[in-house]
Amino acid sequence: MNHLQKLRARAVLKWVSSSFIENQYQSLNLPLFRAGFLPSCQNPRFYRTEKTLLDESSGAGKISATVLRKAQSAFSDYLHSTRSLQYAAAESISRNSPRFLSELLEKIELDDDIQRSLARFLRYHPINEFEPFFESIGLKPSEYAPLLPRNLMFLDDCDRLLTNYLVLCNYGIEHCKIGRIYKDAKEIFEYDHGALLSKIRAYENLGISQHVIVKAIVCSPQLLIGDMKTEFVDVLERFRVLGFEQSWVEKLLCEDGVYRWSQILELLCVFTRMGFTNEQLNALVRRNPGILFEDSGAQTFSIIELLIKFGSERDTIQSVFLEFPQISVEKFLSNLRQCFMFLTEIEMETVEIGRIIRTEARLLGSSTLKKANSLLANLNVGKRRLRDIVKQNPKEMGNWVMGMRVRPVAGLKDDEMSLLEKKKFLSGLGFMKESKNMERAIKSFRGKGYELQERFDCIVNAGLSENDVCEMVRVSPQILNQTKDVIEMKIDFLVNEVKYPISSLRRFPSYLSFKTDRIKVRLLMFKWLSDKGLADPLLALSTIIACSDGAFEKYYVKRHPDGLKVWHNLRESFVSESSYAVSQ
């Protein structure tokens, strides 16, 4: 694990410490660890008939099994008798390098005695012995080409390479797996005589079985580099305490996987500090080993991070894993993210998204939700209606997963739904249901019911308390007939252009009901007079806006000799006389 991953993993450990309650809402940076998988090696297949030995993808050409067997025998004799390689090494190289041998046979004029023809050719045409060796340990030409030593052709020039290769073979590691070890940990093949076996025996001496060590070396050859990797040993010890035999670990290790044991150990510590008992951890890992082994726990860390960001507490996260479904951890994480994108696309409020993910994480992670556009079409609803359905019953999303048929929603007509929304909104403001005041307010509202809350929130966000805005709506319900943009524009003009305090709306909420042009002309004229020292700069809004044009001219405009001229210019620059009527 690199330095950044260690720092991030420690953040999770800190979160699950005793100070969790105090720090649970702090933002944490957890790692989205990456882990790749190396291509698997396969032993070449040998047939007992005269059919083609290898398919075209092997690059061996159309060489019969009989011819190839004789060539392998001759090649083994050459490596052992002529090149003085140990018999085991010579036999392994010759039997596991069919591509190289096939290409070599194409260069030779074969007679009836194939073995003699090949031996004669090799006697006078030395080969680069590293090519069949690398092929025999499971590497393709494209993989071993960069690994070929410079200025060397013969394997006996690299005595340590062969010695350590034979140590691995004799310990039980398949020939075709050794290539991966060479690619990932070349240093292993440069050890002095006895050093590699000594490192392997050190793990054995701790009670780790040979079968586990063999698989672990293939997956994590870095275990044999430098000092003993205590993280690997500690993980096995933790598994022992949890009640797992080493044979269970051996079966779970995938030879094509890559394992970061320090990261797995960190995750086990996180689960322990979250409050998992040994029995719970045993059941969890036995039911879904991928929680620990998939990407060495990186995907699990990402799930924990996601749940924390949406406000989940320790007990909630623990319950998610205790009831974790029988799917891959990566798929569970992908489903959660897909759900988040869905809720975002239907414009669900952030607070609601957090609540839904906290309460329904297991449901949402268990299945893949359909795309938002598809659901809107299949359910025959708009985003607003879909939001309402999800808010009322988040579990309904379990019926909208991939592979399930979705039927249109049978519900109220738009006007009926809008009326219900208006009543619900007014009830929240303190209006008695079915009262005359509610009926009067409903009649004064224009537009859809869901728009009322949006306009209400717009006024609150300008700086007034909810109680103040509730009182304003009860006094002048028509102020919510303005669109959100118009309300924002009128408030901005009042506060930022003519410098009236936002609190002035409490005393005269009807300001928001007057047409924009009337408001601007009156207030700009009054500001001009105030700048001349001829008017109180904070005169009540109702006095300025609500009086008639004649009264405004008589009592304010004519205070200055040029007042009428400025007044008429302002009116002409905005709208005609008819635009001064109060909007209903």
Side-chain angles (χ1 to χ4, degrees):
M1 184 186 296
N2 60 35
H3 180 65
L4 180 58
Q5 288 173 330
K6 287 181 178 178
L7 290 177
R8 289 176 171 175
R10 286 171 187 162
V12 188
L13 288 171
K14 181 179 180 181
W15 167 72
V16 295
S17 67
S18 58
S19 60
F20 168 78
I21 298 301
E22 178 182 352
N23 299 320
Q24 62 180 312
Y25 296 108
Q26 294 179 356
S27 176
L28 297 176
N29 292 322
L30 299 182
L32 186 57
F33 298 101
R34 305 293 184 195
F37 291 89
L38 299 175
S40 60
C41 303
Q42 294 182 348
N43 283 318
R45 298 178 60 193
F46 294 91
Y47 299 86
R48 296 187 178 276
T49 66
E50 291 295 323
K51 295 181 180 180
T52 299
L53 174 68
L54 298 171
D55 60 25
E56 190 173 352
S57 64
S58 70
K62 295 182 178 180
I63 304 298
S64 70
T66 301
V67 171
L68 192 59
R69 279 199 302 272
K70 293 178 179 180
Q72 288 170 341
S73 178
F75 191 38
S76 177
D77 289 342
Y78 166 78
L79 293 174
H80 177 57
S81 302
T82 304
R83 298 296 311 130
S84 301
L85 298 185
Q86 290 190 28
Y87 177 78
E91 185 70 11
S92 175
I93 293 172
S94 65
R95 294 294 178 185
N96 295 291
S97 57
R99 181 194 300 271
F100 176 84
L101 269 179
S102 297
E103 293 176 353
L104 184 61
L105 291 174
E106 292 176 358
K107 302 175 183 178
I108 302 174
E109 293 183 6
L110 300 175
D111 54 26
D112 293 338
D113 193 338
I114 295 174
Q115 291 176 297
R116 183 178 63 186
S117 299
L118 181 58
R120 183 174 59 247
F121 179 85
L122 293 173
R123 188 179 305 121
Y124 299 105
H125 300 84
I127 61 171
N128 187 332
E129 296 171 2
F130 289 94
E131 293 185 22
F133 170 74
F134 282 133
E135 182 184 346
S136 72
I137 62 175
L139 297 178
K140 299 176 182 178
S142 60
E143 294 175 315
Y144 67 67
L147 303 175
L148 293 173
R150 294 183 180 181
N151 304 321
L152 293 178
M153 292 180 60
F154 305 116
L155 286 170
D156 56 7
D157 291 332
C158 288
D159 180 61
R160 293 178 180 177
L161 172 63
L162 283 177
T163 299
N164 291 304
Y165 158 74
L166 289 172
V167 169
L168 296 176
C169 290
N170 294 335
Y171 194 72
I173 297 177
E174 294 182 61
H175 299 283
C176 70
K177 304 297 182 184
I178 295 177
R180 174 180 174 180
I181 298 174
Y182 188 88
K183 283 176 58 180
D184 292 348
K186 186 178 178 181
E187 302 95 316
I188 291 174
F189 297 86
E190 298 173 358
Y191 288 154
D192 291 333
H193 179 74
L196 178 57
L197 186 58
S198 175
K199 289 177 178 292
I200 295 174
R201 295 297 185 199
Y203 287 106
E204 275 192 353
N205 293 337
L206 294 175
I208 304 175
S209 71
Q210 179 179 350
H211 295 296
V212 172
I213 293 175
V214 166
K215 267 202 171 181
I217 289 174
V218 174
C219 301
S220 309
Q222 291 79 12
L223 292 174
L224 299 177
I225 297 178
D227 297 330
M228 177 182 289
K229 301 302 183 287
T230 57
E231 300 90 346
F232 170 63
V233 179
D234 290 342
V235 168
L236 293 182
E237 175 61 19
R238 288 286 291 125
F239 282 141
R240 186 193 66 78
V241 172
L242 292 176
F244 294 107
E245 299 292 335
Q246 289 188 17
S247 58
W248 177 84
V249 179
E250 177 199 351
K251 292 178 182 178
L252 286 179
L253 292 180
C254 174
E255 292 183 345
D256 294 330
V258 177
Y259 298 97
R260 295 183 291 279
W261 299 102
S262 58
Q263 187 170 295
I264 294 174
L265 183 61
E266 294 277 14
L267 184 55
L268 283 168
C269 293
V270 166
F271 280 135
T272 300
R273 298 192 182 187
M274 283 172 61
F276 281 85
T277 65
N278 287 345
E279 292 75 16
Q280 288 174 328
L281 266 180
N282 180 294
L284 170 66
V285 178
R286 195 176 295 278
R287 187 173 62 251
N288 198 328
I291 288 176
L292 288 178
F293 289 102
E294 198 172 314
D295 279 0
S296 302
Q299 303 290 346
T300 304
F301 272 117
S302 295
I303 292 175
I304 295 173
E305 175 191 24
L306 186 65
L307 294 176
I308 291 174
K309 285 185 175 179
F310 283 109
S312 295
E313 298 184 358
R314 176 164 32 187
D315 292 343
T316 302
I317 298 175
Q318 186 178 9
S319 67
V320 169
F321 285 104
L322 288 175
E323 301 173 357
F324 205 85
Q326 292 292 323
I327 62 174
S328 72
V329 184
E330 181 181 13
K331 186 62 177 175
F332 186 92
L333 178 61
S334 175
N335 290 341
L336 271 184
R337 289 173 173 163
Q338 168 69 18
C339 175
F340 170 72
M341 293 302 298
F342 164 76
L343 295 174
T344 302
E345 288 174 14
I346 65 172
E347 300 174 9
M348 183 74 75
E349 300 90 337
T350 303
V351 173
E352 285 295 321
I353 292 177
R355 179 185 66 83
I356 292 169
I357 290 181
R358 286 195 305 274
T359 57
E360 305 296 340
R362 184 186 180 282
L363 170 68
L364 302 178
S366 299
S367 305
T368 303
L369 200 63
K370 293 178 182 289
K371 301 291 185 182
N373 289 340
S374 174
L375 281 173
L376 290 169
N378 292 335
L379 294 171
N380 193 27
V381 295
K383 290 183 178 180
R384 174 180 57 84
R385 181 72 187 281
L386 191 55
R387 288 196 301 272
D388 291 339
I389 294 173
V390 173
K391 287 179 184 178
Q392 293 170 10
N393 184 17
K395 286 184 170 57
E396 184 67 22
M397 288 188 286
N399 299 321
W400 302 340
V401 299
M402 300 294 291
M404 293 186 66
R405 184 177 180 181
V406 177
R407 299 182 181 277
V409 175
L412 300 173
K413 296 181 179 179
D414 286 346
D415 55 347
E416 294 174 332
M417 178 62 70
S418 179
L419 178 60
L420 287 177
E421 289 172 340
K422 289 179 180 180
K423 290 182 177 180
K424 180 180 178 181
F425 171 74
L426 290 172
S427 296
L429 298 186
F431 283 80
M432 297 296 294
K433 291 183 178 180
E434 310 303 331
S435 65
K436 292 184 178 180
N437 287 337
M438 177 176 282
E439 291 180 6
R440 180 176 64 85
I442 290 175
K443 290 180 180 179
S444 67
F445 288 143
R446 291 199 299 264
K448 302 294 184 181
Y450 71 90
E451 295 172 332
L452 298 178
Q453 186 65 52
E454 183 182 65
R455 296 166 184 174
F456 180 89
D457 292 340
C458 173
I459 302 174
V460 172
N461 293 336
L464 294 171
S465 68
E466 289 192 11
N467 290 337
D468 288 337
V469 180
C470 286
E471 184 61 29
M472 289 167 59
V473 173
R474 281 193 286 268
V475 173
S476 300
Q478 69 274 10
I479 65 175
L480 295 185
N481 284 338
Q482 313 295 307
T483 66
K484 178 175 177 288
D485 292 338
V486 171
I487 292 174
E488 288 178 341
M489 182 273 296
K490 289 180 177 179
I491 293 176
D492 179 72
F493 179 78
L494 178 69
V495 175
N496 297 319
E497 291 291 330
V498 295
K499 308 302 180 182
Y500 265 77
I502 188 66
S503 58
S504 59
L505 289 179
R506 292 201 305 265
R507 294 184 291 273
F508 186 56
S510 295
Y511 163 86
L512 296 173
S513 302
F514 284 85
K515 289 202 172 181
T516 303
D517 300 320
R518 180 187 185 106
I519 288 172
K520 288 188 175 182
V521 170
R522 291 285 181 95
L523 289 177
L524 286 175
M525 183 68 215
F526 198 80
K527 185 176 185 298
W528 183 82
L529 291 170
S530 298
D531 293 341
K532 301 294 184 183
L534 299 176
D536 181 358
L538 292 179
L539 187 66
L541 281 178
S542 58
T543 303
I544 302 172
I545 303 298
C547 66
S548 66
D549 286 344
F552 189 78
E553 287 184 14
K554 178 179 179 181
Y555 293 110
Y556 301 107
V557 174
K558 294 181 179 180
R559 291 183 181 184
H560 193 280
D562 295 329
L564 285 174
K565 179 179 179 181
V566 173
W567 170 244
H568 289 299
N569 288 340
L570 285 172
R571 292 171 65 182
E572 290 175 1
S573 66
F574 283 95
V575 290
S576 63
E577 297 284 344
S578 60
S579 67
Y580 288 85
V582 177
S583 61
Q584 298 298 325

